[in-house]
Amino acid sequence: MEKALLAAEAVEEREVVDLLRSLVRIPSHYPGPGEEGVVAFLEEYLRERGLHPFRQEVTPGRPNLMADLGEGEGGLILEGHTDVVTPGEEGAWRHPPYAGVVEGGRLYGRGACDMKGGLAALVGALLAVKRALGHLKRPLRLAALADEEGMMLGVKAFLKEGLARGFRGALVAEPEEMEICLWQKGALRLKLPFLGKMAHGAMPYAGENPIPKAARFILELEALQLELQETSSHPFLGPPYLTPTQVLASAGEGQLNVIPVQAEVVLDVRTVPGLDHGELVARIQALAEAEVEVLEDRPPVETPKEDPLVQAAEEALKLLGLPLRYGGVPGATDGTFLRAWAGLPVVVMGPGGKTLPHQVDEWVDLEEVVRAARVYAALAVLYLE
């Protein structure tokens, strides 16, 4: 306990706040500049403070960045992502999205909450442990990964190269209002083509219109969603959702009098533990009477409450006089794959409001970010010493 408290107290508030402001000021959305700029900055920042960061190229211009404190087996991964979503119409922002404006104890900017606040807290915790203890009995690995907001190519590459091998747990600093989140929803991205036959719009009897087929499927999908919600709701994750996000049908630009040959529906499906993805895809396919293309499959995951990593999170919060609150992650995170592919116990716990990510005027409370860094430093010591 004494070492954990020393590490927490070694977090330097100014250091964490200044780092966060610098990170937010570097655009890292994709499509766009991507993660290279923020990775280059963070790489030099860590090197100047006595660490030895190393890269993994995921795709051109989109690297992962890692840095270790200590060596050996049975360590802890401190995970965050370096990409952000696009700011949208910048004129709609109260403050420029990449200015890093501080006002009323809040830092405003794209990525401030999701999740450069959490990333700055992880770095602050790593440096605090280094200052306070020098090293731990088992290693800490900072993993600042690319493309979490896309297809999660960063964590997939990280795992395929064996960079989680030898570790026994992962802390993911996504904005969850510092709740201990042990459950994460699964996600399926599905594409369904509805085939027809082209014809003149004035003579629909000469063709076959795929648009009504797609429309009927969307309406029938609501009944399936209701059935699943009545039988599969989760106390921390809520109900599953089957959400159409794209409906596309066109015979070509300007062809307003032509029945298209195909309509396409894309679904964003969110699942909870207990729902089998294979069975669900089969049901959707039978309902649509169309082939389903699975674009992405992220299973729902959970970490047992009795796991030592969860106990370390609880003890760290208690040590700093903070409340114990449990929650679930409404979407998937990099922690989904750390749990599903590597089998690591995962705690998702980070500063920032749950509903603020991806919004205009995104912000994070600076005191909460610094508190998070202290919790992470204490947690790491409690888990690894």
Side-chain angles (χ1 to χ4, degrees):
M1 286 290 187
E2 183 179 344
K3 286 184 178 180
L5 194 56
L6 282 173
E9 291 173 346
V11 169
E12 295 183 0
E13 178 178 351
R14 189 73 262 158
E15 177 181 71
V16 173
V17 171
D18 287 348
L19 173 59
L20 172 55
R21 198 170 191 180
S22 295
L23 294 176
V24 169
R25 285 175 167 173
I26 304 171
S28 56
H29 56 270
Y30 186 87
E35 299 88 345
E36 172 59 38
V38 74
V39 166
F41 171 85
L42 196 52
E43 185 176 29
E44 183 62 23
Y45 183 92
L46 294 169
R47 189 175 288 117
E48 288 174 352
R49 286 154 180 81
L51 292 166
H52 303 283
F54 60 99
R55 289 181 176 222
Q56 177 194 26
E57 290 299 323
V58 178
T59 61
R62 306 195 72 187
N64 288 337
L65 184 71
M66 283 67 64
D68 292 345
L69 182 63
E71 299 176 350
E73 298 284 314
L76 175 66
I77 296 170
L78 304 176
E79 196 276 339
H81 62 85
T82 51
D83 63 320
V84 301
V85 299
T86 59
E89 175 51 55
E90 296 192 19
W93 287 67
R94 179 182 173 192
H95 302 292
Y98 296 115
V101 171
V102 174
E103 182 179 272
R106 298 173 174 181
L107 191 146
Y108 289 84
R110 175 54 82 222
C113 177
D114 186 15
M115 63 162 292
K116 289 176 177 177
L119 184 59
L122 292 175
V123 173
L126 184 69
L127 295 175
V129 171
K130 183 176 183 291
R131 276 192 295 268
L133 304 180
H135 66 277
L136 296 167
K137 292 179 181 177
R138 291 182 287 267
L140 266 180
R141 169 165 288 175
L142 175 71
L145 306 184
D147 193 46
E148 192 273 349
E149 299 289 3
M151 296 300 285
M152 298 188 176
L153 299 177
V155 70
K156 292 173 182 175
F158 179 84
L159 292 169
K160 287 175 181 175
E161 198 165 309
L163 293 172
R165 197 171 297 131
F167 289 83
R168 67 182 185 121
L171 172 66
V172 177
E174 290 280 2
E176 298 294 340
E177 300 172 9
M178 292 305 288
E179 291 181 348
I180 301 173
C181 294
L182 307 181
W183 303 270
Q184 299 182 65
K185 270 190 173 177
L188 285 161
R189 305 279 167 78
L190 307 179
K191 182 189 290 186
L192 296 89
F194 294 85
L195 303 180
K197 179 184 176 185
M198 288 182 72
H200 197 295
M203 294 171 283
Y205 49 84
E208 185 180 1
N209 196 334
I211 295 175
K213 295 180 187 178
R216 280 193 295 271
F217 165 71
I218 291 171
L219 293 175
E220 291 167 357
L221 193 67
E222 291 185 4
L224 176 57
Q225 175 177 270
L226 182 60
E227 176 191 332
L228 294 173
Q229 289 177 343
E230 289 175 344
T231 58
S232 303
S233 191
H234 187 276
F236 287 96
L237 296 174
Y241 292 104
L242 313 176
T243 306
T245 55
Q246 290 185 6
V247 181
L248 306 172
S250 173
E253 187 175 353
Q255 301 299 295
L256 305 183
N257 60 343
V258 181
I259 291 172
V261 71
Q262 178 174 304
E264 183 178 279
V265 176
V266 176
L267 301 182
D268 182 358
V269 177
R270 302 293 171 151
T271 63
V272 299
L275 272 180
D276 182 272
H277 280 196
E279 292 178 4
L280 182 55
V281 169
R283 291 194 67 181
I284 291 172
Q285 183 163 298
L287 184 67
E289 297 181 349
E291 288 297 318
V292 175
E293 181 183 355
V294 179
L295 305 176
E296 179 76 335
D297 186 343
R298 303 171 183 174
V301 294
E302 55 186 306
T303 294
K305 228 177 166 182
E306 60 271 18
D307 190 88
L309 179 60
V310 182
Q311 295 171 10
E314 293 173 347
E315 288 302 314
L317 289 165
K318 288 178 186 176
L319 185 66
L320 296 173
L322 299 172
L324 295 185
R325 295 178 295 119
Y326 293 90
V329 181
T333 73
D334 285 339
T336 298
F337 289 103
L338 291 168
R339 181 65 177 151
W341 287 14
L344 294 177
V346 172
V347 167
V348 182
M349 179 174 65
K354 287 175 179 280
T355 62
L356 288 174
H358 305 188
Q359 290 194 23
V360 167
D361 293 330
E362 180 183 349
W363 58 271
V364 70
D365 182 275
L366 292 173
E367 285 188 7
E368 187 180 19
V369 174
V370 174
R371 278 198 303 271
R374 298 193 195 284
V375 171
Y376 298 159
L379 184 158
V381 175
L382 290 165
Y383 188 59
L384 299 177
E385 277 291 295

